[in-house]
Amino acid sequence: EVQLQASGGGLVQDGGSLRLSCTTSGFTFDDHTIGWFRQAPGKGREGVAGISGSGGLPYYADAVKGRFTISANNAKRTVYLQMNSLKPEDTAVYFCAAIRGARPDTIVLPLLYDYWGQGTEVTVSS
């Protein structure tokens, strides 16, 4: 059974940091790209960052470039999202998802992703 579990959300002040974790099981990690997505109240789901389990350059949405860093620990089958310099507009529920055999820039099309975890809520207060 494929499972993705996102954790690490919380309440943080403007300019603060959080690290999200996505632990996975049930699929071949190296064959998949893992993406982080977010959905703010009243808005659609958008891609934030993606990384391939087989290595290579990650991909970031313009809104988070220079502030967020995605990384993977293959041995732990876990993908992290380090979020620095957080802004109130980063407030959203964050999800991780997996897709087989695709590039990290596919995060621009969330509907392509096959497997989704439950979300973790991030609130940035001003």
Side-chain angles (χ1 to χ4, degrees), residues 29-83:
F29 191 84
D30 291 356
D31 290 347
H32 287 69
T33 282
I34 307 298
W36 280 102
F37 302 82
R38 65 186 181 187
Q39 188 163 14
K43 295 188 177 181
R45 195 166 294 189
E46 63 171 349
V48 174
I51 190 167
S52 172
S54 62
L57 292 175
Y59 181 85
Y60 297 94
D62 288 345
V64 306
K65 277 181 184 175
R67 300 188 298 123
F68 291 11
T69 302
I70 189 171
S71 61
N73 183 322
N74 289 49
K76 294 185 177 181
R77 300 178 55 92
T78 300
V79 174
Y80 304 97
L81 186 68
Q82 178 66 44
M83 306 187 296

Side-chain angles (χ1 to χ4, degrees), residues 2-125:
V2 173
Q3 290 188 333
L4 295 96
Q5 178 91 22
S7 61
L11 173 64
V12 64
Q13 289 189 331
D14 191 356
S17 298
L18 281 174
R19 188 176 83 153
L20 305 183
S21 299
C22 175
T23 56
T24 72
S25 63
F27 60 90
T28 304
F29 191 84
D30 291 356
D31 290 347
H32 287 69
T33 282
I34 307 298
W36 280 102
F37 302 82
R38 65 186 181 187
Q39 188 163 14
K43 295 188 177 181
R45 195 166 294 189
E46 63 171 349
V48 174
I51 190 167
S52 172
S54 62
L57 292 175
Y59 181 85
Y60 297 94
D62 288 345
V64 306
K65 277 181 184 175
R67 300 188 298 123
F68 291 11
T69 302
I70 189 171
S71 61
N73 183 322
N74 289 49
K76 294 185 177 181
R77 300 178 55 92
T78 300
V79 174
Y80 304 97
L81 186 68
Q82 178 66 44
M83 306 187 296
N84 299 328
S85 302
L86 282 161
K87 307 174 182 180
E89 51 263 45
D90 294 317
T91 294
V93 178
Y94 284 71
F95 301 86
C96 57
I99 183 172
R100 183 179 178 185
R103 299 191 312 266
D105 60 0
T106 53
I107 61 164
V108 300
L109 296 170
L111 290 178
L112 292 179
Y113 278 67
D114 302 310
Y115 309 112
W116 290 83
Q118 91 299 340
T120 186
E121 191 166 359
V122 172
T123 303
V124 185
S125 63

